[in-house]
Amino acid sequence: GENVEQHPSTLSVQEGDSAVIKCTYSDSASNYFPWYKQELGKRPQLIIDIRSNVGEKKDQRIAVTLNKTAKHFSLHITETQPEDSAVYFCAASKLGNAGNMLTFGGGTRLMVKP
Amino acid sequence: EAQVTQNPRYLITVTGKKLTVTCSQNMNHEYMSWYRQDPGLGLRQIYYSMNVEVTDKGDVPEGYKVSRKEKRNFPLILESPSPNQTSLYFCASSSQGPVEAFFGQGTRLTVV
């Protein structure tokens, strides 16, 4: 089955700096890669996703890049703010008849220091 | 308001006593799934359902059962809970496979 590894497990940045979280996946047939943000005591919420036919996607301060050849994808947060502090999870899935399971990475705790 | 509702939110039970955690969504989503969240392990999928009467195992299905008799409901059943099933459980739903999955509030289960 799919295996998703996420690094780093914790990340501390100064407010205004950029943060990068990286994930690798094992199944080359995976074609959907979402990122979730989970604030303390809350449910995971989707912040951005990318499909395998696209190399990069941006939404304001957040961007995701995908390298299918290397089987890794990354979350980039620019101009970090204290409210970006949370645990971030990457995930991978094979949409369609071949799967539809969703496999998550272990999570990254991001701390943004004011 | 779009919602995925889980009940109960908190549950303490004893080993071997059957329990059911309910999950209901009001978005007419076809795909529903259950996850457990444990420290350092992230979220792991237990079961998922592509539509009514269609269920499939996720990564960690042992010790759990599910059913999908109606589109809106996807209960998680623990026939004989054990302490290693102590965890935070999330239900999620989405319209097309696991794309843009919307999570419920979570159920914290403790088995003693």
Side-chain angles (χ1 to χ4, degrees):
Chain A
E2 174 68 276
N3 183 48
V4 178
E5 295 194 356
Q6 183 171 344
H7 298 281
S9 57
T10 61
L11 179 59
S12 182
V13 300
Q14 208 67 37
E15 181 177 358
D17 288 350
S18 295
V20 180
I21 302 170
K22 298 181 180 180
C23 288
T24 60
Y25 60 100
S26 61
D27 190 339
S28 57
S30 288
N31 54 16
Y32 175 65
F33 308 93
W35 286 89
Y36 284 84
K37 174 183 180 182
Q38 186 178 29
E39 296 175 352
L40 191 61
K42 301 277 184 71
R43 74 190 79 190
Q45 290 189 292
L46 180 74
I47 55 172
I48 195 167
D49 58 7
I50 193 168
R51 303 214 188 198
S52 58
N53 59 348
V54 175
E56 184 176 3
K57 184 176 179 180
K58 287 184 181 179
D59 183 3
Q60 299 182 333
R61 297 185 296 109
I62 293 172
V64 57
T65 58
L66 171 65
N67 184 327
K68 286 188 294 183
T69 304
K71 290 189 286 186
H72 68 70
F73 56 112
S74 300
L75 179 71
H76 305 254
I77 305 174
T78 58
E79 300 172 18
T80 53
Q81 301 166 4
E83 51 265 37
D84 294 328
S85 295
V87 179
Y88 292 80
F89 292 98
C90 63
S93 178
K94 286 186 295 191
L95 301 182
N97 295 333
N100 289 298
M101 278 181 56
L102 189 61
T103 302
F104 283 83
T108 296
R109 182 174 299 280
L110 174 65
M111 293 170 284
V112 180
K113 295 179 286 187
Chain B
E1 180 189 353
Q3 285 186 341
V4 176
T5 303
Q6 296 178 225
N7 280 297
R9 295 288 313 279
Y10 303 91
L11 179 60
I12 301 175
T13 190
V14 296
T15 298
K17 185 178 181 181
K18 181 180 178 180
L19 67 92
T20 299
V21 183
T22 64
C23 174
S24 181
Q25 51 94 4
N26 64 358
M27 295 168 278
N28 201 37
H29 284 165
E30 292 188 348
Y31 186 94
M32 296 186 74
S33 56
W34 277 101
Y35 303 86
R36 61 177 289 173
Q37 184 173 24
D38 303 288
L41 296 176
L43 292 141
R44 292 179 292 168
Q45 194 170 42
I46 302 170
Y47 270 95
Y48 66 97
S49 169
M50 292 292 292
N51 214 324
V52 175
E53 302 292 357
V54 180
T55 62
D56 284 290
K57 295 178 180 179
D59 285 320
V60 288
E62 295 78 19
Y64 304 94
K65 286 175 59 177
V66 293
S67 69
R68 187 91 183 272
K69 294 185 171 62
E70 306 164 281
K71 199 171 190 177
R72 63 182 296 130
N73 296 323
F74 191 45
L76 179 70
I77 303 155
L78 285 72
E79 294 267 1
S80 182
S82 63
N84 64 11
Q85 293 177 299
T86 292
S87 188
L88 178 59
Y89 290 86
F90 286 100
C91 178
S93 75
S94 44
S95 58
Q96 179 199 5
V99 176
E100 299 180 5
F102 187 87
F103 282 75
Q105 330 93 296
T107 295
R108 186 165 293 281
L109 172 66
T110 302
V111 183
V112 298

